[in-house]
Amino acid sequence: MPHVHRVFYVSRARVDPCGPEPRRILEVATGRNARLGVTGLLFFSGDHFAQVLEGPRAALEEVMDSIRRDPRHEMLLEWPVTPAGGERWFPSWAMAYLFDERLEALIERLGRLGEPLPALEATAGELLAAADLSRLGLFRAGDKA
């Protein structure tokens, strides 16, 4: 079994938060992630995306290459793929999704961090702590609106 790695990024969203694109992103990502053995959580504030992904290094590199090429993202900051150093944070979520406009100020600030980047775990952990994760059951890709 390949070792688990983790990656985190922040991007400016180039989508209408009320339009069909967020759902399309989730539907494609969920299928691809399940096929590649990737799990994760996508935060969307309406203006920015922030995402934590975990899985085999090669799979994460494939997913990140796709995200970098996606015109719906303007990449602001990307942490390097690093060993997770333990178990997955999201073992059963091929792609969980949380839309929360209240996270905008935090996600925007994370996107402006400079070099050297703080530890991925601390940065992603700050976002996880601020998020209302109890809302994750409200929408997952593949659900009917």
Side-chain angles (χ1 to χ4, degrees):
M1 171 183 274
H3 292 287
V4 176
H5 288 73
R6 200 170 280 131
V7 68
F8 178 67
Y9 74 88
V10 176
S11 70
R12 183 168 289 113
R14 297 293 184 212
V15 299
D16 176 355
C18 298
E21 286 307 306
R23 182 175 289 277
R24 286 187 190 131
I25 289 170
L26 292 169
E27 289 170 350
V28 169
T30 300
R32 178 189 58 211
N33 290 359
R35 179 176 50 80
L36 294 173
V38 171
T39 57
L41 172 56
L42 175 65
F43 298 93
F44 182 38
S45 69
D47 292 325
H48 291 88
F49 292 110
Q51 187 170 30
V52 181
L53 293 165
E54 52 195 7
R57 175 181 285 280
L60 293 179
E61 290 171 355
E62 180 178 332
V63 171
M64 289 307 299
D65 285 344
S66 175
I67 291 168
R68 284 185 216 104
R69 290 189 313 269
D70 190 330
R72 298 170 296 189
H73 293 269
E74 177 187 331
M75 195 60 70
L76 297 177
L77 201 54
E78 180 181 337
W79 277 250
V81 175
T82 58
E87 296 185 17
R88 291 177 187 249
W89 289 349
F90 317 109
S92 61
W93 297 341
M95 182 47 54
Y97 174 75
L98 180 65
F99 175 80
D100 191 338
E101 293 171 327
R102 297 171 298 172
L103 295 174
E104 176 54 29
L106 175 56
I107 295 174
E108 183 178 23
R109 182 180 61 76
L110 294 176
R112 291 191 318 255
L113 292 173
E115 299 287 338
L117 291 174
L120 182 152
E121 286 78 9
T123 307
E126 183 179 358
L127 185 56
L128 288 166
D132 180 4
L133 297 181
S134 66
R135 297 181 62 219
L136 284 174
L138 295 179
F139 177 82
R140 294 206 183 163
D143 290 349
K144 299 293 182 204

